[in-house]
Amino acid sequence: MQTVTTIGLDIAKSVFQLHGVDAAGQVVIRRQLKRRYVVAFFQKLPPCLVGIEACASSHYWSRELQALGHSVRLMPPAYVKNVKRQKNDMADAEAICEAVTRANMRFVPTKTPEQQSGLMLHRTRHLFIRQQTSVINAIRAHLAEFGVIAPVGRKGVEELLRIVADPNDKRVPEVVRACLAALVSQLLSLKKQILDFDRMILAWHRSSQTSKRLNCIPGVGPLLATALVASVADPKTFRSGRNFSAWIGLVPKQHSSGGRERLGSISKQGDRYLRGLFVAGALAVIRYAKLHGTNHRPWLTTLLARRPTKVAAIALANKLARMAWALMARGERYNYPAALRP
């Protein structure tokens, strides 16, 4: 059998599809593998280039195959195009094999188990927060059916919880009170779990030097700092701060032609979770600046004078993302503006 130099591996839950070619581009291998046979198959192969789409479980398989001596490259699925008429695993594996050797292809660095663990902390906490919001909305909606409403915000929720816990409040029938008590119990449990995850994230933040350096940037707290460390396996993969900001989705969409540049709203491509944290951090900086003055930030002062707050927040989030990339890629520390230095 001819020597395999490049393999396109279409991973799945149980059945994997392989497409392998030799140095001349001739097809050598085209077969399916059950999950339990994948490692044994690659153990018998001489070291070769393996292309995998960066999707669920791809980082695990990348680490496993690299441990066997193979060179693994993960690619964003959006950049792997199947040019065949039919969509199936065989055609997908062939497309992956062709894409991995493309000169202008972009690759995704393999995450370590520690980085994936940090991301799981964030994803689980975010899921609990969404569930908490859902339960609060359910409590509000159910009580509104009986004419009981409360102001928006934490104080309003606390007022509703007091009404549910008060058996003397006759506005709430007993059956409804029993249902709401179950929702309140779930809400309190979610709040406790979210607090536990906040503590775990803070502990992980204190153990990471990069995260502590990022925390010095205004608008970047432990939550965003740890999310950046966990999400960005190798910051030098990005050519510049703007390239990093574009990956997050904080740069304008382009629809340019004929030498005429047309820019629209932000692209919202890339990592939605990081983008939300950056915008929240930028809004916090703007809120603080409005309360305490913006004299020490002339750029922000000028921007707020001619743009709405939310537009300014997006621009500031873009700037914060570039700062964060510079600190991660160059190992530098944040330099405070001269007006803020002691």
Side-chain angles (χ1 to χ4, degrees), residues 112-282:
T112 64
E114 291 75 20
Q115 286 177 312
Q116 287 191 287
S117 301
L119 270 181
M120 189 172 293
L121 273 177
H122 281 269
R123 300 305 187 212
T124 307
R125 176 186 178 275
H126 191 52
L127 173 63
F128 285 156
I129 289 176
R130 295 203 309 270
Q131 291 177 345
Q132 175 184 254
T133 303
S134 178
V135 172
I136 290 174
N137 289 340
I139 293 173
R140 285 183 176 276
H142 292 326
L143 284 172
E145 291 295 326
F146 294 91
V148 180
I149 60 172
V152 176
R154 185 175 58 187
K155 291 185 178 180
V157 175
E158 292 173 352
E159 181 180 333
L160 293 178
L161 295 187
R162 284 194 296 269
I163 293 172
V164 173
D166 184 8
N168 298 321
D169 195 320
K170 301 305 179 184
R171 292 176 296 176
V172 183
E174 289 306 313
V175 174
V176 175
R177 193 182 304 279
C179 296
L180 291 174
L183 289 174
V184 170
S185 176
Q186 185 178 0
L187 176 61
L188 296 177
S189 175
L190 287 170
K191 285 182 176 294
K192 181 181 181 303
Q193 288 174 317
I194 292 171
L195 183 60
D196 291 340
F197 275 97
D198 285 339
R199 289 168 179 161
M200 293 172 67
I201 290 173
L202 186 59
W204 196 57
H205 162 71
R206 289 170 175 167
S207 67
S208 171
Q209 293 298 324
T210 303
S211 182
K212 287 191 287 188
R213 284 191 290 107
L214 290 172
N215 190 37
C216 296
I217 302 175
V220 177
L223 194 65
L224 176 52
T226 52
L228 284 169
V229 173
S231 301
V232 184
D234 182 12
K236 294 183 180 178
T237 304
F238 304 97
R239 297 188 302 272
S240 64
R242 189 191 185 285
N243 190 235
F244 176 67
S245 185
W247 174 70
I248 296 175
L250 288 170
V251 299
K253 286 188 291 188
Q254 290 193 27
H255 191 75
S256 305
S257 179
R260 183 175 180 181
E261 190 178 69
R262 295 184 180 90
L263 301 178
S265 57
I266 59 171
S267 66
K268 293 188 179 179
Q269 297 175 349
D271 197 310
R272 182 178 182 180
Y273 181 67
L274 285 179
R275 184 169 62 253
L277 291 178
F278 268 115
V279 173

Side-chain angles (χ1 to χ4, degrees), residues 60 68 73 79 81 112 189 232 287-288 320 340:
Y60 164 78
L68 298 176
R73 293 181 180 176
Y79 296 165
K81 185 172 180 60
T112 64
S189 175
V232 184
R287 186 164 56 250
Y288 182 88
L320 294 178
L340 295 179

